[in-house]
Structures are given as C-alpha cells and as structure tokens.
Amino acid sequence: IIIGKFEKKYGPAIWLLNFWDKPNNSKRVVSLVRKYLPYFDGVTAYANWSGEIQREIMNELVPVMHKEFPQKIFEAPVHNTYSVHYYHGGIPTHLSKKYRESWDMAIEAAPDSVMITNLFDYWENSLVLPCYEREDFMLRYAQYKMAELRGQPFTAKQGPELVLTNYIDIVIGDRRLEFEVIAFPTRSAIKNIELTVELCDASGKQLYAFPLKRLYLDKLRVAEFRIESEKFAGQRAIVPRIYYKYAGKEFRSLFNPPTLLDTSIRT
C-alpha cells in the first residue's frame, strides 16, 4: 500500500528492506528476507551489532541472497559505532577494531553495494564524546576497502600515511590506555618503517614511549599499544603522538588530542 501510494505521487523508487530487527538473530533475518523480498528491490541494514551477531547473520544471509535472490540488490552494512557509543555503560568498542572487522565481513559477503550506518550521527554515535580521528579515518578506510571490493588499486600516498587513534577518556584502573597506529600502504618503493607511540603530559613532556614496532607498508597494517592506566594516576591527561623512522630519517607527528584520565564513572 505504501509503495503504491508513494510511487503514484513521486515516481519509481528503489525499496530496500531493513533486515535488522529485534530479536536480532540469523533465523529471523532469513525469514524476513524470504517473506518480503517479493515486494522489495533488495536488502540493507541499520543497527549497532556486536561482531558475533553480525558474523552469525552474514553467514546465514549471504547464501540466501546470492542463491535465492541473485536479481535483488544486496547492500551490506558496515557499522561505524566503533568510537564511544554512550561510552560509560555503553558498548566497549576497542578503538577502530569493530569498524575494521565490520568492513571485512561486508567485503567477504560480495555485496552489490555498501552502506555505512550513521556516518554523520552526531549524538548517538557519538560526537558528544568523540573519537577524534573519526570522519577522516572512516572515509579513508572506506576508500581502501571499496578498492578491495572493486578489485581496483588503492590510491596510496607517496610517503607513510599514519593515523593514531585514542579514546577521549578512560576511568583509571577500569580500562587500560590503548592506542592504534593505522598505517595505510605507500606507493613508495621504500616500505619499511619503525614506529611507536610517545605518551606526554599536558605540557608536552614525554612520560613514556612504547618499544618500536617494525611494519612493512605493502598493505594496510595496524600496530596496537596498551599500558595499564594506573601508571599515570597522577596525570589529568595523556597526550599521544607518533614517532617513526623512515627512509633514514626520524619524524614526530603532531600531538593527538588527549585521553583524559577520570577518577569516577562519569566525567
């Protein structure tokens, strides 16, 4: 009824079924898809899932879409709620790991298109307590994965392209200080790099430096760094930056915005 009235007034449209529902499980998803795809042009999805639920659903849904409905649009969802989804009492998201794993599952599904849920949702997703690198990193990483999906070369830069991720705040003793350096591939013939994360106080004085890690930038690499937060209990904030050695020279990035060290559950 809705489709008929809408298209009579506005003209033909593409109608995609949101296959995410509650309770969110693979059998319910497949049942919904089989019931409604005679009326819809394809599927998409909206939601914030754990990796386990997304994997379970995609394992069931992918063969149904490719074998039973090959003529329909199969839009795979990528969930970007990896930053601080209502952080205190919300979902632990482990920096960019959830987003990256969601992309992996989407690519494995061999979809017709990809949709990033809530890319510019400034509240729930959440820029009230932002993950600082959010949009720039997410869009650049999307370029990298879409090149993979299309079987096309990634538009790499000549030198190292490094992104440092960190949380906006943690409760001391409840969570570790965690950092990622996401290194995109380079088109330079020089691909060896050594890097680490330096932790500084609010004045820029170095408090700690992790051991150097060696990466080979022929493809995207991720270096992870963790340390117990209690070691920095006297500090109000930890300000990280990347230090790296490349092509016989030493470099330091600009300071990332800080990770605040809180002493209570809510800031």
Side-chain angles (χ1 to χ4, degrees):
I1 295 171
I2 293 171
I3 291 173
K5 288 187 175 181
F6 180 96
E7 294 194 341
K8 183 178 180 180
K9 184 172 182 178
Y10 297 106
I14 294 173
W15 298 85
L16 300 181
L17 166 69
N18 171 26
F19 62 76
W20 180 88
D21 199 8
K22 293 182 179 179
N24 199 21
N25 60 68
S26 58
K27 287 183 171 48
R28 183 173 175 80
V29 165
V30 170
S31 176
L32 283 171
V33 167
R34 286 178 172 144
K35 180 177 180 180
Y36 288 109
L37 269 196
Y39 309 98
F40 284 76
D41 299 307
V43 300
T44 188
Y46 165 87
N48 176 49
W49 301 339
S50 71
E52 293 79 11
I53 294 173
Q54 185 176 358
R55 171 63 66 190
E56 174 195 335
I57 288 174
M58 296 305 274
N59 284 345
E60 295 285 336
L61 181 62
V62 168
V64 171
M65 289 305 300
H66 285 307
K67 294 177 182 178
E68 298 181 32
F69 301 101
Q71 77 281 14
K72 299 287 186 174
I73 297 168
F74 181 18
E75 185 166 86
V78 169
H79 298 295
N80 71 342
T81 320
Y82 74 93
S83 52
V84 286
H85 190 79
Y86 286 115
Y87 170 70
H88 298 299
I91 298 168
T93 50
H94 309 295
L95 297 172
S96 72
K97 185 176 181 181
K98 181 176 181 179
Y99 180 62
R100 291 186 285 111
E101 289 181 345
S102 187
W103 263 108
D104 289 342
M105 283 182 258
I107 298 298
E108 290 169 14
D112 301 305
S113 58
V114 174
M115 186 271 295
I116 304 178
T117 301
N118 281 20
L119 179 59
F120 297 113
D121 186 334
Y122 273 42
W123 172 251
E124 186 183 14
N125 205 32
S126 158
L127 292 190
V128 178
L129 294 172
C131 197
Y132 297 107
E133 80 296 343
R134 185 173 176 269
E135 281 98 342
D136 287 347
F137 163 69
M138 288 176 60
L139 290 172
R140 186 60 169 153
Y141 193 82
Q143 286 181 317
Y144 177 76
K145 297 303 288 188
M146 288 302 290
E148 180 182 334
L149 178 64
R150 293 172 173 145
Q152 298 174 347
F154 173 63
T155 53
K157 295 184 178 180
Q158 180 63 29
E161 183 178 1
L162 309 174
V163 176
L164 172 61
T165 70
N166 61 297
Y167 293 119
I168 186 172
D169 70 334
I170 62 169
V171 177
I172 296 174
D174 176 56
R175 300 186 76 173
R176 293 174 295 181
L177 279 163
E178 296 191 35
F179 308 87
E180 295 170 330
V181 176
I182 294 139
F184 288 91
T186 177
R187 70 172 185 265
S188 169
I190 303 172
K191 300 193 184 299
N192 285 304
I193 188 172
E194 290 184 282
L195 58 81
T196 187
V197 173
E198 297 178 339
L199 306 183
C200 303
D201 65 14
S203 71
K205 177 185 175 182
Q206 182 177 309
L207 303 173
Y208 182 81
F210 293 96
L212 284 165
K213 293 191 176 185
R214 181 173 292 175
L215 303 179
Y216 191 70
L217 304 182
D218 60 331
K219 63 179 182 179
L220 187 133
R221 308 283 186 180
V222 179
E224 299 177 340
F225 302 89
R226 302 181 182 87
I227 190 169
E228 299 303 319
S229 56
E230 298 95 306
K231 296 180 183 293
F232 304 92
Q235 302 295 325
R236 179 70 181 98
I238 295 298
V239 186
R241 66 182 173 187
I242 302 171
Y243 166 80
Y244 62 100
K245 297 179 180 180
Y246 179 76
K249 297 180 180 180
E250 298 183 20
F251 302 87
R252 280 184 170 88
S253 71
L254 297 175
F255 287 113
N256 251 43
T259 296
L260 301 178
L261 304 181
D262 300 324
T263 55
S264 61
I265 290 177
R266 293 199 177 273
T267 56

